mmCIF file of all heavy atoms in Angstrom:
data_model
loop_
_atom_site.group_PDB
_atom_site.id
_atom_site.type_symbol
_atom_site.label_atom_id
_atom_site.label_comp_id
_atom_site.label_asym_id
_atom_site.label_seq_id
_atom_site.Cartn_x
_atom_site.Cartn_y
_atom_site.Cartn_z
ATOM 1 N N GLN A 1 14.648 -36.951 -16.026
ATOM 2 C CA GLN A 1 15.669 -36.144 -16.702
ATOM 3 C C GLN A 1 17.076 -36.457 -16.148
ATOM 4 O O GLN A 1 18.035 -36.586 -16.896
ATOM 5 C CB GLN A 1 15.359 -34.671 -16.475
ATOM 6 C CG GLN A 1 15.539 -33.865 -17.757
ATOM 7 C CD GLN A 1 15.151 -32.417 -17.519
ATOM 8 O OE1 GLN A 1 14.699 -32.048 -16.438
ATOM 9 N NE2 GLN A 1 15.300 -31.606 -18.535
ATOM 10 N N ASN A 15 31.900 -44.812 -24.511
ATOM 11 C CA ASN A 15 32.292 -44.598 -25.903
ATOM 12 C C ASN A 15 33.686 -44.003 -26.010
ATOM 13 O O ASN A 15 34.498 -44.399 -26.834
ATOM 14 C CB ASN A 15 31.293 -43.671 -26.598
ATOM 15 C CG ASN A 15 29.974 -44.370 -26.865
ATOM 16 O OD1 ASN A 15 29.872 -45.583 -26.686
ATOM 17 N ND2 ASN A 15 28.975 -43.624 -27.273
ATOM 18 N N GLY A 39 35.515 -33.257 -16.301
ATOM 19 C CA GLY A 39 36.982 -33.357 -16.334
ATOM 20 C C GLY A 39 37.459 -34.627 -15.644
ATOM 21 O O GLY A 39 38.347 -35.313 -16.124
ATOM 22 N N SER A 72 69.471 -59.174 -12.126
ATOM 23 C CA SER A 72 68.858 -58.974 -10.813
ATOM 24 C C SER A 72 69.820 -58.189 -9.940
ATOM 25 O O SER A 72 71.036 -58.252 -10.109
ATOM 26 C CB SER A 72 68.515 -60.313 -10.181
ATOM 27 O OG SER A 72 69.701 -61.007 -9.933
ATOM 28 N N PRO A 127 62.026 -52.033 -25.471
ATOM 29 C CA PRO A 127 62.202 -50.695 -26.047
ATOM 30 C C PRO A 127 60.926 -50.066 -26.603
ATOM 31 O O PRO A 127 60.668 -48.884 -26.378
ATOM 32 C CB PRO A 127 63.251 -50.930 -27.140
ATOM 33 C CG PRO A 127 64.075 -52.057 -26.603
ATOM 34 C CD PRO A 127 63.089 -52.961 -25.916
ATOM 35 N N SER A 136 53.526 -43.627 -15.089
ATOM 36 C CA SER A 136 53.400 -44.926 -14.425
ATOM 37 C C SER A 136 54.115 -44.795 -13.074
ATOM 38 O O SER A 136 54.734 -43.771 -12.794
ATOM 39 C CB SER A 136 54.073 -46.029 -15.260
ATOM 40 O OG SER A 136 55.476 -46.012 -15.052
ATOM 41 N N LYS A 165 61.795 -42.781 -11.778
ATOM 42 C CA LYS A 165 61.755 -42.991 -10.322
ATOM 43 C C LYS A 165 62.008 -44.472 -10.080
ATOM 44 O O LYS A 165 61.100 -45.249 -9.768
ATOM 45 C CB LYS A 165 60.387 -42.583 -9.790
ATOM 46 C CG LYS A 165 60.302 -42.541 -8.280
ATOM 47 C CD LYS A 165 58.933 -42.083 -7.838
ATOM 48 C CE LYS A 165 58.887 -41.822 -6.353
ATOM 49 N NZ LYS A 165 57.577 -41.359 -5.935
ATOM 50 N N GLY A 169 67.104 -44.559 -12.844
ATOM 51 C CA GLY A 169 66.610 -43.192 -13.064
ATOM 52 C C GLY A 169 66.144 -42.985 -14.488
ATOM 53 O O GLY A 169 65.430 -43.811 -15.065
ATOM 54 N N ASP A 240 61.554 -44.465 -42.437
ATOM 55 C CA ASP A 240 62.925 -44.175 -41.987
ATOM 56 C C ASP A 240 63.879 -44.142 -43.191
ATOM 57 O O ASP A 240 64.701 -43.234 -43.316
ATOM 58 C CB ASP A 240 63.431 -45.250 -41.013
ATOM 59 C CG ASP A 240 62.464 -45.528 -39.879
ATOM 60 O OD1 ASP A 240 61.864 -44.566 -39.375
ATOM 61 O OD2 ASP A 240 62.312 -46.709 -39.496
ATOM 62 N N GLY A 255 76.165 -40.070 -41.416
ATOM 63 C CA GLY A 255 77.332 -40.717 -40.805
ATOM 64 C C GLY A 255 77.252 -40.650 -39.291
ATOM 65 O O GLY A 255 76.228 -40.279 -38.726
ATOM 66 N N ALA A 283 73.760 -51.823 -16.667
ATOM 67 C CA ALA A 283 75.147 -51.734 -17.133
ATOM 68 C C ALA A 283 76.132 -51.667 -15.972
ATOM 69 O O ALA A 283 77.171 -52.325 -15.989
ATOM 70 C CB ALA A 283 75.302 -50.491 -18.019
ATOM 71 N N VAL A 327 71.112 -41.552 8.563
ATOM 72 C CA VAL A 327 72.277 -42.386 8.296
ATOM 73 C C VAL A 327 73.465 -41.450 8.088
ATOM 74 O O VAL A 327 73.297 -40.336 7.586
ATOM 75 C CB VAL A 327 72.004 -43.337 7.103
ATOM 76 C CG1 VAL A 327 71.747 -42.574 5.831
ATOM 77 C CG2 VAL A 327 73.121 -44.328 6.920
ATOM 78 N N MET A 347 67.805 -27.068 -1.474
ATOM 79 C CA MET A 347 67.044 -26.013 -0.792
ATOM 80 C C MET A 347 66.416 -26.550 0.495
ATOM 81 O O MET A 347 66.432 -25.878 1.523
ATOM 82 C CB MET A 347 65.995 -25.420 -1.738
ATOM 83 C CG MET A 347 66.651 -24.565 -2.833
ATOM 84 S SD MET A 347 65.487 -23.658 -3.871
ATOM 85 C CE MET A 347 65.164 -24.816 -5.170
ATOM 86 N N ASN A 374 69.174 -21.092 -13.830
ATOM 87 C CA ASN A 374 69.917 -21.570 -14.996
ATOM 88 C C ASN A 374 69.392 -22.904 -15.525
ATOM 89 O O ASN A 374 70.129 -23.680 -16.141
ATOM 90 C CB ASN A 374 71.408 -21.693 -14.621
ATOM 91 C CG ASN A 374 72.287 -21.848 -15.833
ATOM 92 O OD1 ASN A 374 72.047 -21.214 -16.862
ATOM 93 N ND2 ASN A 374 73.282 -22.714 -15.754
ATOM 94 N N PHE A 380 60.926 -28.991 -27.946
ATOM 95 C CA PHE A 380 60.687 -29.531 -29.286
ATOM 96 C C PHE A 380 59.247 -29.312 -29.707
ATOM 97 O O PHE A 380 58.362 -29.098 -28.887
ATOM 98 C CB PHE A 380 61.083 -31.010 -29.392
ATOM 99 C CG PHE A 380 60.122 -32.019 -28.811
ATOM 100 C CD1 PHE A 380 59.128 -32.596 -29.596
ATOM 101 C CD2 PHE A 380 60.235 -32.426 -27.501
ATOM 102 C CE1 PHE A 380 58.258 -33.555 -29.076
ATOM 103 C CE2 PHE A 380 59.373 -33.383 -26.963
ATOM 104 C CZ PHE A 380 58.386 -33.948 -27.753
ATOM 105 N N PHE A 385 53.075 -36.120 -40.673
ATOM 106 C CA PHE A 385 52.771 -36.410 -42.074
ATOM 107 C C PHE A 385 52.148 -37.795 -42.197
ATOM 108 O O PHE A 385 52.564 -38.710 -41.491
ATOM 109 C CB PHE A 385 54.066 -36.405 -42.909
ATOM 110 C CG PHE A 385 54.812 -35.106 -42.855
ATOM 111 C CD1 PHE A 385 55.657 -34.816 -41.791
ATOM 112 C CD2 PHE A 385 54.673 -34.160 -43.863
ATOM 113 C CE1 PHE A 385 56.343 -33.616 -41.715
ATOM 114 C CE2 PHE A 385 55.362 -32.958 -43.811
ATOM 115 C CZ PHE A 385 56.206 -32.679 -42.729
ATOM 116 N N PHE A 425 71.644 -33.596 -36.825
ATOM 117 C CA PHE A 425 71.964 -32.282 -36.266
ATOM 118 C C PHE A 425 72.177 -31.289 -37.401
ATOM 119 O O PHE A 425 72.784 -31.615 -38.427
ATOM 120 C CB PHE A 425 73.229 -32.381 -35.402
ATOM 121 C CG PHE A 425 73.000 -33.208 -34.170
ATOM 122 C CD1 PHE A 425 73.210 -34.593 -34.195
ATOM 123 C CD2 PHE A 425 72.553 -32.628 -32.996
ATOM 124 C CE1 PHE A 425 72.984 -35.360 -33.072
ATOM 125 C CE2 PHE A 425 72.320 -33.392 -31.862
ATOM 126 C CZ PHE A 425 72.530 -34.760 -31.900
ATOM 127 N N PRO A 436 75.666 -27.202 -33.992
ATOM 128 C CA PRO A 436 74.288 -27.215 -34.487
ATOM 129 C C PRO A 436 73.348 -26.740 -33.380
ATOM 130 O O PRO A 436 73.573 -27.015 -32.205
ATOM 131 C CB PRO A 436 74.030 -28.695 -34.784
ATOM 132 C CG PRO A 436 75.369 -29.333 -34.886
ATOM 133 C CD PRO A 436 76.288 -28.536 -34.010
ATOM 134 N N LEU A 462 47.512 -33.230 -23.956
ATOM 135 C CA LEU A 462 46.972 -32.490 -25.108
ATOM 136 C C LEU A 462 45.571 -31.970 -24.813
ATOM 137 O O LEU A 462 44.767 -32.652 -24.172
ATOM 138 C CB LEU A 462 46.894 -33.424 -26.313
ATOM 139 C CG LEU A 462 48.237 -33.802 -26.932
ATOM 140 C CD1 LEU A 462 48.061 -34.967 -27.889
ATOM 141 C CD2 LEU A 462 48.842 -32.596 -27.645
ATOM 142 N N TYR A 474 43.479 -38.675 -38.404
ATOM 143 C CA TYR A 474 44.570 -39.487 -38.960
ATOM 144 C C TYR A 474 44.801 -40.770 -38.185
ATOM 145 O O TYR A 474 45.794 -41.472 -38.392
ATOM 146 C CB TYR A 474 45.868 -38.663 -38.962
ATOM 147 C CG TYR A 474 45.722 -37.367 -39.707
ATOM 148 C CD1 TYR A 474 45.612 -36.168 -39.041
ATOM 149 C CD2 TYR A 474 45.670 -37.356 -41.105
ATOM 150 C CE1 TYR A 474 45.459 -34.975 -39.719
ATOM 151 C CE2 TYR A 474 45.513 -36.167 -41.796
ATOM 152 C CZ TYR A 474 45.400 -34.989 -41.097
ATOM 153 O OH TYR A 474 45.235 -33.820 -41.782
ATOM 154 N N GLY A 479 52.219 -43.110 -41.168
ATOM 155 C CA GLY A 479 52.771 -41.760 -41.169
ATOM 156 C C GLY A 479 54.074 -41.676 -40.418
ATOM 157 O O GLY A 479 54.583 -42.667 -39.874
ATOM 158 N N PRO A 505 56.023 -31.776 -5.212
ATOM 159 C CA PRO A 505 56.870 -31.561 -6.394
ATOM 160 C C PRO A 505 57.398 -30.133 -6.454
ATOM 161 O O PRO A 505 56.731 -29.206 -5.994
ATOM 162 C CB PRO A 505 55.914 -31.805 -7.572
ATOM 163 C CG PRO A 505 54.775 -32.557 -7.010
ATOM 164 C CD PRO A 505 54.660 -32.170 -5.571
ATOM 165 N N ARG A 517 64.755 -15.473 -30.298
ATOM 166 C CA ARG A 517 65.552 -16.203 -31.295
ATOM 167 C C ARG A 517 65.383 -17.715 -31.157
ATOM 168 O O ARG A 517 65.552 -18.460 -32.113
ATOM 169 C CB ARG A 517 67.028 -15.806 -31.186
ATOM 170 C CG ARG A 517 67.288 -14.381 -31.661
ATOM 171 C CD ARG A 517 68.671 -13.905 -31.308
ATOM 172 N NE ARG A 517 68.852 -13.785 -29.862
ATOM 173 C CZ ARG A 517 69.954 -13.314 -29.284
ATOM 174 N NH1 ARG A 517 70.980 -12.944 -30.014
ATOM 175 N NH2 ARG A 517 70.044 -13.232 -27.956
ATOM 176 N N ARG A 565 55.386 -20.510 -36.631
ATOM 177 C CA ARG A 565 55.649 -19.955 -35.298
ATOM 178 C C ARG A 565 54.535 -20.405 -34.329
ATOM 179 O O ARG A 565 54.776 -20.852 -33.224
ATOM 180 C CB ARG A 565 55.640 -18.431 -35.407
ATOM 181 C CG ARG A 565 56.760 -17.769 -34.665
ATOM 182 C CD ARG A 565 56.843 -16.291 -35.019
ATOM 183 N NE ARG A 565 57.790 -16.026 -36.073
ATOM 184 C CZ ARG A 565 57.575 -15.263 -37.139
ATOM 185 N NH1 ARG A 565 56.419 -14.661 -37.326
ATOM 186 N NH2 ARG A 565 58.518 -15.098 -38.037
ATOM 187 N N THR A 622 70.841 -36.272 -23.202
ATOM 188 C CA THR A 622 71.714 -36.010 -22.055
ATOM 189 C C THR A 622 72.101 -37.229 -21.215
ATOM 190 O O THR A 622 72.831 -37.093 -20.234
ATOM 191 C CB THR A 622 71.027 -34.972 -21.139
ATOM 192 O OG1 THR A 622 69.643 -35.318 -21.012
ATOM 193 C CG2 THR A 622 71.148 -33.576 -21.704
ATOM 194 N N ASN A 623 71.618 -38.415 -21.565
ATOM 195 C CA ASN A 623 71.944 -39.575 -20.731
ATOM 196 C C ASN A 623 73.448 -39.867 -20.724
ATOM 197 O O ASN A 623 74.076 -39.961 -19.664
ATOM 198 C CB ASN A 623 71.165 -40.800 -21.248
ATOM 199 C CG ASN A 623 71.326 -42.011 -20.351
ATOM 200 O OD1 ASN A 623 71.319 -41.890 -19.135
ATOM 201 N ND2 ASN A 623 71.481 -43.183 -20.951
ATOM 202 N N ALA A 653 89.069 -21.984 -31.988
ATOM 203 C CA ALA A 653 89.076 -20.829 -32.870
ATOM 204 C C ALA A 653 87.763 -20.052 -32.847
ATOM 205 O O ALA A 653 87.762 -18.841 -32.968
ATOM 206 C CB ALA A 653 89.384 -21.280 -34.282
#
Side-chain angles (χ1 to χ4, degrees):
Q1 223 177 357
N15 287 351
S72 65
S136 80
K165 189 178 189 179
D240 309 321
V327 63
M347 289 187 270
N374 194 39
F380 78 92
F385 301 82
F425 293 89
L462 288 167
Y474 304 105
R517 290 169 294 184
R565 224 170 265 133
T622 43
N623 186 40

